[in-house]
Amino acid sequence: MKFATLPNGTSDGALYVVSRDHSRCAPALAVSTLQALLEDWDQFAAALQAEYDAVNAGAGVEFDPTQTLSPLPRAWQWLDGSAYDSHGALMEKVFNIAPLPTWPPLMYQGISDRFHAPCADVPLPSEDDGIDFEGEFGIITDRVPMGTDAEAAFSHIRLLVQVNDWSLRKLAPREMKTGFGWLQCKPACTMAPVAVTPDELGDAWRDARIDLPLIVDWNGTRFGAAEGYEMSVGFDQLIAHAAYSRDLVAGTVIGSGTVSNETYREVGSSCIAERRGIEILDHGAPETDFMRFGDQVRMEAVARDGTPLFGAINQRVVKG
């Protein structure tokens, strides 16, 4: 199934069922919000499947992804991992940092009270902060009990999403040195218009990873097309790590970290920081600047047969 959230004057919006080809949508009749669905998935799933079949058969109205909110306009919890070793190893080399262990995985808890709409302008304080995009894949869980292991965690993955984890790079070093974690350098994120159940990906959902490239364009120029499968740990393992000492509430969003491949020189990057790191290694200094107000970034992953999946994040950064 595929779901989107459209504005209705409330903080959580209205849940819509979206056709497989993204041409049609209809208000969900069984449940009013995505959060309510996640809190009682089994109660509503059969009715929503029938609604999904109907919209695929032509029911509903034309779907306009540019008018959507993020599938979860606000969430109880946003946890972001760093599951692509190629990205971490590059950053360690560039900044002469001792290699970190691959387990337990790196993860931080970011703000989740708001996710930007996928085609809305993103207001930020200053160009001097090093504005960067970060293309990621993510999952949304139902309730996960404390102590859930990776095998059991797999069944708690209800939805797959695509995320832009905005970063202010020049603020990050100062905050990292405090040992208190990130705050100012991590503003609100963005989700792509459509959240999808894992079965919609077919063979591209394997080992709790999304086996598809994430296409990133910056100001209309291709910036990266890194494959999503090369995570060092799957989303099931990220869930188990997060749930070690706490229950995860229904509607917990977990990110993969910046999608990155060992062949980053060939496939490109999903964030500017990685491109700058490559330039430092190759030329001794970065050549690519961070984003300026008015710059636009577009991110989209589609099925290998061309079927749309999450829709596109397509945003400008503007002075806040």
Side-chain angles (χ1 to χ4, degrees), residues 17-266:
V17 180
V18 179
S19 65
R20 181 166 288 113
D21 65 359
H22 291 199
S23 65
R24 311 285 293 174
C25 69
L29 302 178
V31 61
S32 60
T33 68
L34 188 59
Q35 181 63 40
L37 168 59
L38 291 160
E39 289 175 355
D40 204 346
W41 187 277
D42 291 338
Q43 176 182 340
F44 302 119
L48 287 169
Q49 183 64 57
E51 295 181 37
Y52 183 58
D53 293 341
V55 81
N56 280 318
V61 298
E62 182 179 354
F63 177 55
D64 182 358
T66 67
Q67 299 305 304
T68 64
L69 304 174
S70 280
L72 275 178
R74 57 179 179 171
W76 287 107
Q77 188 162 225
W78 157 242
L79 305 173
D80 196 19
S82 181
Y84 290 93
D85 285 353
S86 55
H87 178 76
L90 174 65
M91 295 298 104
E92 290 165 359
K93 190 180 298 184
V94 169
F95 296 108
N96 196 26
I97 300 170
L100 294 169
T102 57
W103 187 265
L106 296 175
M107 183 176 287
Y108 76 92
Q109 184 164 352
I111 60 171
S112 59
D113 58 301
R114 178 188 182 189
F115 284 86
H116 291 295
C119 296
D121 289 347
V122 176
L124 292 170
S126 173
E127 293 178 343
D128 294 336
D129 293 335
I131 301 168
D132 198 357
F133 48 81
E134 286 194 68
E136 306 190 12
F137 292 116
I139 56 99
I140 307 178
T141 72
D142 58 13
R143 181 184 178 277
V144 182
M146 183 175 68
T148 296
D149 63 18
E151 182 177 1
F154 189 85
S155 66
H156 291 284
I157 300 172
R158 291 302 190 181
L159 294 167
L160 310 180
V161 292
Q162 179 189 309
V163 176
N164 183 4
D165 175 32
W166 291 98
S167 294
L168 303 178
R169 298 294 188 184
K170 294 182 181 179
L171 303 182
R174 180 189 67 204
E175 294 192 327
M176 291 174 70
K177 289 177 182 177
T178 68
F180 256 51
W182 287 335
L183 181 71
Q184 291 183 334
C185 74
K186 285 294 184 180
C189 301
T190 303
M191 287 189 211
V194 179
V196 307
T197 52
D199 60 293
E200 291 289 339
L201 271 69
D203 293 342
W205 174 244
R206 60 188 183 98
D207 303 325
R209 296 161 168 85
I210 295 175
D211 187 13
L212 292 169
L214 179 57
I215 308 301
V216 179
D217 294 332
W218 180 14
N219 291 332
T221 299
R222 182 60 39 85
F223 193 81
E227 293 282 347
Y229 184 74
E230 292 187 19
M231 295 170 69
S232 57
V233 295
F235 282 109
D236 51 352
Q237 293 166 291
L238 291 177
I239 292 171
H241 173 66
Y244 172 77
S245 59
R246 66 177 79 179
D247 294 334
L248 304 183
V249 296
T252 294
V253 187
I254 298 180
S256 64
T258 305
V259 179
S260 177
N261 297 164
E262 293 287 350
T263 55
Y264 39 64
R265 287 182 176 82
E266 289 76 40

